[in-house]
Amino acid sequence: MLRKRLRSYDTGRRLAVMPSAKLSKLELNIMEALWTRGACSIREIHDAFPKRGRPAYTTVQTMVYRLEAKQMVRRAKKISNAHIFEAVISRDAAHRRLVDDLLGLFGGQAQPVMAHLIEAGKLTLDEVKEAEQTLRKLQKKEKP
């Protein structure tokens, strides 16, 4: 199952995994714990989840190792038997990847997404005006 989601190749010594931009909801929650708290052990990441609906420790451990294989986290240091992990990518970079993936589902067109956000009341007029100002600034930068 893991091999379907991650591209891998044989290096002769061990199986190396290529980075993947896709993040599951649980992986995002783990990343959120690292972005919020900074470098953490798996136990600290596990404790960051609310008690109600908290995944098993071994599930969090497996997901951290998968994030490490995707090169989203790395082992920063080791204290006794505990490895301390830190985020490699920023929250903004992860959010940009998610938005790019979402737009990819719509053929790269933002209009259907924007229309849905407006109809669902998730996008306010002030946010649209702010986006318009940002677009105008970008257009001015592009013109010499």
Side-chain angles (χ1 to χ4, degrees):
M1 183 169 172
L2 178 61
R3 289 184 186 192
K4 286 183 181 178
R5 293 191 297 152
L6 299 175
R7 285 184 243 137
S8 59
Y9 60 93
D10 189 2
T11 61
R13 290 178 140 164
R14 61 181 154 148
L15 197 64
V17 181
M18 298 297 290
S20 171
K22 305 279 185 204
L23 291 174
S24 69
K25 185 175 181 179
L26 180 56
E27 288 172 331
L28 273 172
N29 289 337
I30 290 169
M31 293 301 296
E32 190 62 44
L34 291 169
W35 291 323
T36 303
R37 296 174 175 227
C40 295
S41 67
I42 292 173
R43 173 66 60 203
E44 292 168 324
I45 295 168
H46 181 256
D47 291 344
F49 284 88
K51 285 191 178 192
R52 186 178 183 98
R54 180 183 290 172
Y57 175 87
T58 54
T59 301
V60 173
Q61 182 179 36
T62 299
M63 298 312 287
V64 169
Y65 292 153
R66 287 184 181 174
L67 285 168
E68 184 181 31
K70 292 179 179 184
Q71 298 177 359
M72 302 286 180
V73 303
R74 69 173 166 235
R75 295 174 197 219
K77 58 185 170 184
K78 186 174 181 180
I79 300 175
S80 187
N81 286 337
H83 290 279
I84 307 300
F85 293 88
E86 64 185 4
V88 172
I89 64 166
S90 69
R91 181 183 280 129
D92 288 341
H95 289 169
R96 280 192 299 275
R97 286 182 180 187
L98 287 171
V99 171
D100 288 344
D101 288 345
L102 176 64
L103 288 177
L105 295 173
F106 292 91
Q109 297 178 0
Q111 195 281 330
V113 177
M114 297 290 287
H116 172 74
L117 291 173
I118 292 167
E119 290 168 5
K122 306 273 184 187
L123 193 61
T124 66
L125 187 57
D126 289 338
E127 290 169 329
V128 171
K129 288 178 182 176
E130 186 178 326
E132 186 178 12
Q133 288 175 348
T134 303
L135 281 171
R136 290 183 196 281
K137 288 178 186 175
L138 287 173
Q139 282 180 338
K140 287 180 182 177
K141 285 182 181 178
E142 289 177 1
K143 292 181 181 178

